[in-house]
Amino acid sequence: MFYHDGGQLQYPVRVEKPNPLFAKALQQAIGGIEGEMRVCLQYLFQAWNARGPSKYRDMLLETGTEEISHIEMLATAVALNLEGAPVSLQEDAARDPVLEAALGGQNIRHVLSSGLGAMAVDASGVPFNGSWIVGSGNIAADMYANVMAESTGRVLATRLWNMTDDPGMKDMLSFLIARDVMHQNQWLAVLEELGPEQLPIPNSFPRSEEAGEFSYAFMSTRKDPKPDAFDGSRWVTGRSIDGNGEFSFIADMQPLGDVPQLGMADPRTFAQIDQIAPNASARKRLREEVAGHVHDGDD
Amino acid sequence: MFYHDGGQLQYPVRVEKPNPLFAKALQQAIGGIEGEMRVCLQYLFQAWNARGPSKYRDMLLETGTEEISHIEMLATAVALNLEGAPVSLQEDAARDPVLEAALGGQNIRHVLSSGLGAMAVDASGVPFNGSWIVGSGNIAADMYANVMAESTGRVLATRLWNMTDDPGMKDMLSFLIARDVMHQNQWLAVLEELGPEQLPIPNSFPRSEEAGEFSYAFMSTRKDPKPDAFDGSRWVTGRSIDGNGEFSFIADMQPLGDVPQLGMADPRTFAQIDQIAPNASARKRLREEVAGHVHDGDD
Amino acid sequence: MFYHDGGQLQYPVRVEKPNPLFAKALQQAIGGIEGEMRVCLQYLFQAWNARGPSKYRDMLLETGTEEISHIEMLATAVALNLEGAPVSLQEDAARDPVLEAALGGQNIRHVLSSGLGAMAVDASGVPFNGSWIVGSGNIAADMYANVMAESTGRVLATRLWNMTDDPGMKDMLSFLIARDVMHQNQWLAVLEELGPEQLPIPNSFPRSEEAGEFSYAFMSTRKDPKPDAFDGSRWVTGRSIDGNGEFSFIADMQPLGDVPQLGMADPRTFAQIDQIAPNASARKRLREEVAGHVHDGDD
Amino acid sequence: MFYHDGGQLQYPVRVEKPNPLFAKALQQAIGGIEGEMRVCLQYLFQAWNARGPSKYRDMLLETGTEEISHIEMLATAVALNLEGAPVSLQEDAARDPVLEAALGGQNIRHVLSSGLGAMAVDASGVPFNGSWIVGSGNIAADMYANVMAESTGRVLATRLWNMTDDPGMKDMLSFLIARDVMHQNQWLAVLEELGPEQLPIPNSFPRSEEAGEFSYAFMSTRKDPKPDAFDGSRWVTGRSIDGNGEFSFIADMQPLGDVPQLGMADPRTFAQIDQIAPNASARKRLREEVAGHVHDGDD
Amino acid sequence: MFYHDGGQLQYPVRVEKPNPLFAKALQQAIGGIEGEMRVCLQYLFQAWNARGPSKYRDMLLETGTEEISHIEMLATAVALNLEGAPVSLQEDAARDPVLEAALGGQNIRHVLSSGLGAMAVDASGVPFNGSWIVGSGNIAADMYANVMAESTGRVLATRLWNMTDDPGMKDMLSFLIARDVMHQNQWLAVLEELGPEQLPIPNSFPRSEEAGEFSYAFMSTRKDPKPDAFDGSRWVTGRSIDGNGEFSFIADMQPLGDVPQLGMADPRTFAQIDQIAPNASARKRLREEVAGHVHDGDD
Amino acid sequence: MFYHDGGQLQYPVRVEKPNPLFAKALQQAIGGIEGEMRVCLQYLFQAWNARGPSKYRDMLLETGTEEISHIEMLATAVALNLEGAPVSLQEDAARDPVLEAALGGQNIRHVLSSGLGAMAVDASGVPFNGSWIVGSGNIAADMYANVMAESTGRVLATRLWNMTDDPGMKDMLSFLIARDVMHQNQWLAVLEELGPEQLPIPNSFPRSEEAGEFSYAFMSTRKDPKPDAFDGSRWVTGRSIDGNGEFSFIADMQPLGDVPQLGMADPRTFAQIDQIAPNASARKRLREEVAGHVHDGDD
């Protein structure tokens, strides 16, 4: 069960110079794939689906809940950046190109659909999509999904920080950037705590069932082999990261399979006659079968 | 079966000063969630699915058909607003910031994809989505869905009206705004005609099967209870709107359920070993089972 | 800012006979358009965007927070219904058609993607979509959006209740059904509290700007007029619901606008020549202009 | 402007043996990419956007309007196929595997969301998407889009015809299949009427601006050239279909461009240091700049 | 199996004057419905699914592979057009409206999400969608899908060509425009090689099963019949394009079906009482059944 | 530029017992978020956008190209699993529940849309979505995105392996599972090669600009603080994983921000009057202004 404290924000949100274009940009941190709705729901779903030691469930619930507060901060920031935004064409366009550019550049749905408030969309206006919420049931895969989410999330936050010179916005983002540091570390800490034997993920699949001769080989797909292409690079040299093999390099990978033979089409799928009938006489026969009486317009 | 009259419009559509940015905005009223494609298809699907008294089906068909004519008007308005729109960067950008802003601000797909015509997208260029079409099979739920659609639709139309100073566009929108008035009233009239006993929706579910002690209680989810938070507000005071209960206020809602216990993960889902094996020895055993021969790159 | 209480559920969630097909059905109440993710986020976004009297913001925050707990309950219910679900074809298919039907009927991504846990998708596996979250900035429109969401939500919950005979699931749904009663009443209570003058929505648009002669007229779009089609029906008779007009009936609506004349296509949009050039000689000239030297393959 | 005739169907729709699984399949012909919503809206948008000779606009409007009637027929067919469909698990599952399979196999949202009516989704339950509506502003491109839509549409209709043995459904589909014949012919008739010089599309682009030596050459992308791969095939032999060139065969296409050199990353995009700083000393300097005071948790 | 040659481009890609607005426009040719991801994947899926004569599979594989190289060229073009793009508001907005317009007009996710690189989205920022990939299993339908894709693709490319005056970009586009010529011709060549009896598609469906009297008739859906509407037009006159019928014109199409009678709603779908109970007494009875004890808030 | 070798497969694909339900499941590995289209396009886009040392670009191109071959293998596997699949209801349903379950359980669009071939959709039939393709411009974030993709990808592949007992399918999957091992190791090898100073990501953002006191603190969001909740857990104890701080635990996080004050609504957004006018007299005035002449239906 969940609670709130009457709307107080986790961290202050101030906007000194509202900027509707920055409001559009901030939407990426709300409804974008790198945004807070994604991490929030991802951690909560992972918590709710968690099987195994309960402390991981508990921890995911803690941080998933924190992320709701981040969405709240960003939604507030969007609303504040939209205060006084231009809402019509005539008053600005003909006169002041800067204002016109602002109206053209902003998310016009902030005027039309939300009445100068935040929406569940990204910076292009594309709606948040539930497919982004990863909860695989495998904790190591999920932790990497979380590290990735916080990494792209912090990259996004630094770009937003750089985009604005509003001190209030920079301050808010400095907090979110810090939290992303913690969360990157946190998910990696889970992996460390689980121990070094997490790889390959899933680590519960019997390795003997794997086509093991391809498990640690870098296969080049170059048309013209270049055997020294990655000499000295870590991914072709030395012990594999999971500690279970040696990296190798296959410079001239050859197809191991044949050209597939799907044969003729099933007549019940209504392909064209040439796909169904294997030769001229079969085609002729099928063509005759198909041609029945069709009422001509001039009958 | 449906008919047209050769393209004559339900109401005149004139554009005196074509404005590609306004064309972009108008797209919200075509392909946006508040737009005419949604109400048109929503009413038609509700009609086609209608069970029960036939007059509601008839009425939905009438108005669903009218809405096709509204899409037609708006599509025409978009095409007219795109007449003479800038279609290239070089001719405008380096010279005239207002024109450049126009090109940057318009939906560039109006140039690239539709050749200066309307598309089935919203003001951000996001395509119309069939999930928005609500036809629940329950007429009261559907009527509220329709009231809501016409309410957000009229809000949108007034914002578009305010955005432009083109007299032709203002005139067209004054018509659409008026029709939204009628349609709001119309769906509420159906609810009134059906009689006061429509709530709660669905009204055909046996109330005795409901956890009735929670049916009229406002539950606060505040971390720190505030018993007087809504003193005097209608939603915590007096007879419920449906007439079947009294509103009450639970200031300090407590969880009634436990923490869920999902247990260990099913090994066949290939979670990590720590999620599957309940203790150290089981983990050790599983780890040994899993580790089979894997061909090392240096074999 | 938001809090949790360590995972205790708002109401007990028990599953006596896990059923993966019911798990699939329950997904509609999580990630479907009638589901809890939608209402949760809708109320929270409406709260965060709320302008005007603060008590509506407060109330939306209260109930939006409660809805997170409903998602939690349903996600738990999905996970519990998936306990022991079939995860492979060979063990069931050839032998037991009921089990095979279960595997065919369930959401196979519950096996493949989530490892027997809930996902942010609907009962067809279609991901949750942020476009469903309505926060228009107009409180009356939003309240109707909320009534509609709770109406389709309760219809869904009663259908789920009817679909199962698991006592634990029926109990959980009896609670959610009750809460939907409250929330339907709650949003209507806001409208009542705001007073009778909320219609038409938005009520802040100057009525004189509206094409008022069409504001209360039911326009028939029948090909062959039927003047008595709705005799006695509320939507063609008597005072309008908003109290500002009289319903009337236009049985034979005629187009008020002309056939639009878009003219010839702009050559810079690269339409076909016949669309650009208005007559034979212009077409000939354009055709000659276009035909330049093209290198033939056999040059 | 548009009209209806009170719900009479263009062609009779009868269902003798309702089958909810067939209802699911029919959804493809409503809300799928090959379906009637797509062609309906595609023809209407093409009409509304039509520039150039008005008769094409008129014709598109005629047929677009006919397609609304096809959606109506199919929606009716879905509702009729859902009459008496199973709506709960307990009553069927434990007893009758055929009924259980039906419930598992049907679109469960037909029970949960629409109350046994049609929806704007495809056979997988994926919503109709406005991106499928093609109206390019170029009539020849649009005609091919329409031929393609009617071709995949008729293929779909024949597969549906084959899937059912309900005589009513077969009859309805025999009508839709016939109409698809007409419409395939119709769009090709437009192309014929426009004359043989429609290709390449658009035919208004100056051919001299094209890299003409590649305009009629089949370029093989085989790793190991096979010069006789398509000997005698039409696409490497003879006059091009547009009549403006000769087909040729390049068996050993070589890259004409270099490997792109994007250089180092812009520091303001917050790439990793190694992407920004070109050498060890620059990396060291940047690393020092970046490392500022960060408050340690234990300060 | 697939190969590359170390990143050399099929054709040179040069950008003299990077323009982030043009980068946004180019995205349509990558991730838009008319773009190269679509044709690439469409041809490859058609190849992989090909049944019937193998040479069509081979050819589709050839051209599908070429299209990967086109995506590569366009992605490179986007990255090059983003070199030096504005990434912050403060530095430009207050000072230089042209730069501000550029930032407002560009795809802001090119800054926020990709760090000045290409994305799998269209010019509006809407992600590529797999539903666009058509592979019907019927080769003639697929060929028309391909002609259509190359036609809208070439229209797009010419519009992009017209939009820019960068010589490098014009050169790259002149190559892509030429390739689109070839591919239009190529797919039509397949149809020609297959022979004239490809229509109607599918040509393997027995014509006698079709409602043949409607197969070659243009049905007018005009409210007021206009028998001479298309006099002389090809689609109402003469032999049908498929050679199997004569075009005719039905000026006054009448509904052949009745108004559907779906009857009362199934009580188990929880419609409103008025939809379920056919008369007043039944309604009264159902209303009484439904009304059970509900715990009042004030009990 | 890219090449193929005439359709030979990277690894053999054999299906001994075609199973259309397994074909549906395999679609997840093609068009699902964990599937091969995603990794293929993700690596290719990352390559094409790569800035900084060229060897990472080269490597991404190698592996991105390999992944095309994996899509090819899986598409072939889908087609082979669909050989002989049921395509109609009548022939199976009434007779054999196992076959009926198969038809109900399979992706019915494999019959209707693709004619028994693979599609660009996931196991629920939801189309591939370009938003899943992550290329952030930051190599470390991208590498974690890739590790995550290969981790969820290998989890998926092991579940598919477990689902089937077809030896050919198990063999194919044993190869894909092995390749996922390599690719997990490969992306982690890049991170190792880049050196230990990659965290936090991005490592080029000045740490002094961060709200550093929150960078390494686990903040509990429990309603009732539980200071010993995670005693001994790695994420609250010891040096942070990035080596730059010490983990700490804040058991009782308090809001640092106030309740936001957005004030009254802008009248130009057409909120309701109560949201715009701050007191009764202002509301009265606004109400009077708004009420203009509206033509009554009975005028």
Side-chain angles (χ1 to χ4, degrees), chain E residues 1-5 7-8 48-49 51 61-62 65 69 72 79 83 113-114 116 118 127-131 133 135-136, chain F residues 1-5 7-8 48-49 51 61-62 65 69 72 79 83 113-114 116 118 127-131 135-136:
Chain E
M1 196 175 159
F2 293 83
Y3 307 87
H4 65 95
D5 56 13
Q8 289 183 83
W48 295 328
N49 292 345
R51 288 185 169 89
L61 198 58
E62 296 267 31
T65 304
S69 307
E72 183 180 44
E83 294 280 357
S113 295
S114 73
L116 307 180
F128 177 80
N129 192 291
S131 67
I133 299 169
S136 69
Chain F
M1 196 174 159
F2 294 83
Y3 307 88
H4 65 95
D5 56 15
Q8 289 183 84
W48 295 327
N49 291 346
R51 288 184 170 88
L61 198 57
E62 296 266 33
T65 304
S69 306
E72 184 181 44
E83 294 280 359
S113 295
S114 73
L116 307 180
F128 178 80
N129 192 291
S131 67
S136 68

Side-chain angles (χ1 to χ4, degrees), chain C residues 229-241:
Chain C
F230 298 109
D231 276 5
S233 287
R234 184 62 185 90
W235 55 87
V236 294
T237 312
R239 201 71 191 156
S240 69
I241 307 298

